Structures are given as C-alpha cells and as structure tokens.
Amino acid sequence: MKKYIRIMLTAASDQIFRIKSLLARLFLLIIMLFVFNLFWNIIGSEKIDSNISAVNFIWYLLLGAVLQFGRPEGLHRQIEGEVRSGDIAYRMMRPVSFIGYKCCESLGTFCVRLPILLFVGAALITFLTDGALPDQIQALPIIIVLLFGSMFLLSLGTVFVGLSALYLQDSLPLFWLVQKGEYILGGLFFPLTFYPDELFRFALATPFGSAGYNVTSLIYRYTPEQAITATLSLGFWISIMLGIDYLLFFILKRKVSVNGG
C-alpha cells in the first residue's frame, strides 16, 4: 500500500510542472459554466425537471466538469505506446501492479486538480447566482469522496483503451467511443432525467451513468439511500473493469513471455 501512496504523491507533485495544462482546463471550465448558465436562463422556464433549478443545474454541471477536467491527459496514448514499443515488459518486472500504477497516477493528479477546479468553479457560480446554493449542498463532502471512486472507474476504462492496442491497430477510435459515452451516457452536459425513459434506463445500466450522473446528481437529490446506491454501483463496475483489465494484461503478459520479452 505504501508503494501506491508514493506513486500518488509523485503524480501529485508532478502537477507543479503542468501549470499550463491546469490553466487551460480552468479556462475551459469557466467558459463552460458561463455558457450553460446563459443556456439555462433561456430554457429553465420550461421546467424539464422540477427537481432541477438553475442553481442545481449549474452545480451539477460543475461536478461533472471537475471529474472530466481533473483527470490526466494522454493516459491511453502512454499505455498504447508502452504496449507497441515493448516497454511494458519492463513494467512487469516492477514490484507493483501495472494497472494499479496507472490508476494511482490518475488519482494523484486528481487530488491536486479537484480542489482547484472546484474552488474556482464554485466561486464563479456563487457570483453568477448571487450566492444561491444547491438544494443538497450538505452532501458535497460525500460527493467529493465518491468522485474519487468515479475517477478510479474512469481510469480503469482508460487503461482498457490503452491495453486494447494489443488487438487494435489504433486505439484512438475506441478512446473516442468511450469518451463520448462518458459525455452522453454519463450525463456530463445534462442530467439523465432530461433523456427519454428508454435512454435514461440504458444510461443508468452502464458504467458511465454510475461514474457520472449517479454521483454528481446527489448535489440536488441526495438521500442516504441514493448515496448507498451510487456507492454500490461504483463498486460493481470497478470490480467488472478490474477483471477485464487484468484479463487483458494477463493475455499481454503471456504474449510477451512467448515472444521472449
């Protein structure tokens, strides 16, 4: 466990040298909040969902954006490069799990970016809404804890994309597919309750809905039961993705051994 904590701390300290990347993401976050705040002022009167006021909506959007902008960039390309170059064979000899190493790097990056993105976003929202707070602001500490579970699940998905280079000529199309799944089925831009009933149920049955909507929507619909449901759903999909990633890695390890890697 200490080894993985050190990996997270190293990844967190590395963010000092990635200020430009963080500033770019802060800029995108600010633009997104401005645009969607104006957007809601236009359509909000239609009462698409009676539980979602303008303040609830913009806070929901902030939490989803923090999850997306808080993750490290280019992780799937890094893993794909290691698979294609054969450098992954050296990773296998290290006394830590390759999958655990990559996920801890993501979590370490998220540890630094989350408070910065959340603070800046919350300050802007407070200004835009004249200090109004979402209905379940008291659930924010629980949501933050669950966001780390969401980040772990998304990181496992990114590892899967990178390891898919074992079979795919280029993993970029698969990355685009997974990314769009996070945006649409995870409810990044709009809560899933805005969707038709069939699509709503389908999205909730995917890991994207568990990582995104189930967690971020607690900001306006929190109950202990909903929090437990979100936690169990994350745990279920994390277990599934861990199994898939370790199976791919095992196959990759066998291929390296057979080829004398």
mmCIF file of all heavy atoms in Angstrom, residues 49 85 91 136 142 174 228 234:
data_model
loop_
_atom_site.group_PDB
_atom_site.id
_atom_site.type_symbol
_atom_site.label_atom_id
_atom_site.label_comp_id
_atom_site.label_asym_id
_atom_site.label_seq_id
_atom_site.Cartn_x
_atom_site.Cartn_y
_atom_site.Cartn_z
ATOM 1 N N ASP A 49 -37.370 19.354 -15.671
ATOM 2 C CA ASP A 49 -37.324 18.511 -14.481
ATOM 3 C C ASP A 49 -37.545 19.423 -13.285
ATOM 4 O O ASP A 49 -36.736 20.309 -13.022
ATOM 5 C CB ASP A 49 -35.979 17.790 -14.378
ATOM 6 C CG ASP A 49 -35.962 16.758 -13.251
ATOM 7 O OD1 ASP A 49 -36.634 16.976 -12.234
ATOM 8 O OD2 ASP A 49 -35.261 15.748 -13.410
ATOM 9 N N SER A 85 5.770 -0.473 -28.120
ATOM 10 C CA SER A 85 7.241 -0.434 -28.094
ATOM 11 C C SER A 85 7.847 -1.611 -27.341
ATOM 12 O O SER A 85 9.044 -1.877 -27.457
ATOM 13 C CB SER A 85 7.705 0.877 -27.458
ATOM 14 O OG SER A 85 7.350 0.923 -26.089
ATOM 15 N N ARG A 91 7.824 -2.915 -17.165
ATOM 16 C CA ARG A 91 6.856 -2.619 -16.109
ATOM 17 C C ARG A 91 6.450 -3.886 -15.363
ATOM 18 O O ARG A 91 6.146 -3.856 -14.172
ATOM 19 C CB ARG A 91 5.601 -1.976 -16.715
ATOM 20 C CG ARG A 91 5.841 -0.634 -17.397
ATOM 21 C CD ARG A 91 5.878 0.480 -16.407
ATOM 22 N NE ARG A 91 5.873 1.785 -17.046
ATOM 23 C CZ ARG A 91 5.946 2.932 -16.386
ATOM 24 N NH1 ARG A 91 6.029 2.907 -15.059
ATOM 25 N NH2 ARG A 91 5.957 4.084 -17.027
ATOM 26 N N GLN A 136 -28.922 20.355 -1.965
ATOM 27 C CA GLN A 136 -28.259 19.391 -1.086
ATOM 28 C C GLN A 136 -26.772 19.704 -0.941
ATOM 29 O O GLN A 136 -25.931 18.809 -1.062
ATOM 30 C CB GLN A 136 -28.467 17.974 -1.635
ATOM 31 C CG GLN A 136 -29.916 17.564 -1.799
ATOM 32 C CD GLN A 136 -30.647 17.471 -0.477
ATOM 33 O OE1 GLN A 136 -30.037 17.233 0.570
ATOM 34 N NE2 GLN A 136 -31.958 17.664 -0.502
ATOM 35 N N ILE A 142 -19.573 14.117 0.798
ATOM 36 C CA ILE A 142 -19.805 12.738 0.366
ATOM 37 C C ILE A 142 -19.598 12.616 -1.144
ATOM 38 O O ILE A 142 -19.002 11.647 -1.629
ATOM 39 C CB ILE A 142 -21.231 12.296 0.744
ATOM 40 C CG1 ILE A 142 -21.388 12.276 2.265
ATOM 41 C CG2 ILE A 142 -21.557 10.928 0.149
ATOM 42 C CD1 ILE A 142 -22.786 11.995 2.735
ATOM 43 N N LEU A 174 -11.498 3.816 -30.354
ATOM 44 C CA LEU A 174 -12.103 3.271 -29.146
ATOM 45 C C LEU A 174 -12.111 4.320 -28.040
ATOM 46 O O LEU A 174 -13.085 4.435 -27.278
ATOM 47 C CB LEU A 174 -11.348 2.024 -28.689
ATOM 48 C CG LEU A 174 -11.860 1.358 -27.408
ATOM 49 C CD1 LEU A 174 -13.312 0.930 -27.572
ATOM 50 C CD2 LEU A 174 -10.984 0.159 -27.031
ATOM 51 N N ILE A 228 -25.936 5.338 -1.029
ATOM 52 C CA ILE A 228 -25.580 3.914 -0.949
ATOM 53 C C ILE A 228 -25.691 3.270 -2.323
ATOM 54 O O ILE A 228 -24.812 2.485 -2.732
ATOM 55 C CB ILE A 228 -26.485 3.196 0.067
ATOM 56 C CG1 ILE A 228 -26.173 3.684 1.486
ATOM 57 C CG2 ILE A 228 -26.301 1.683 -0.027
ATOM 58 C CD1 ILE A 228 -27.144 3.166 2.532
ATOM 59 N N LEU A 234 -20.842 1.981 -8.154
ATOM 60 C CA LEU A 234 -19.417 2.184 -8.440
ATOM 61 C C LEU A 234 -18.616 0.938 -8.117
ATOM 62 O O LEU A 234 -17.755 0.519 -8.903
ATOM 63 C CB LEU A 234 -18.888 3.368 -7.628
ATOM 64 C CG LEU A 234 -19.145 4.773 -8.156
ATOM 65 C CD1 LEU A 234 -18.660 5.817 -7.148
ATOM 66 C CD2 LEU A 234 -18.450 4.993 -9.496
#
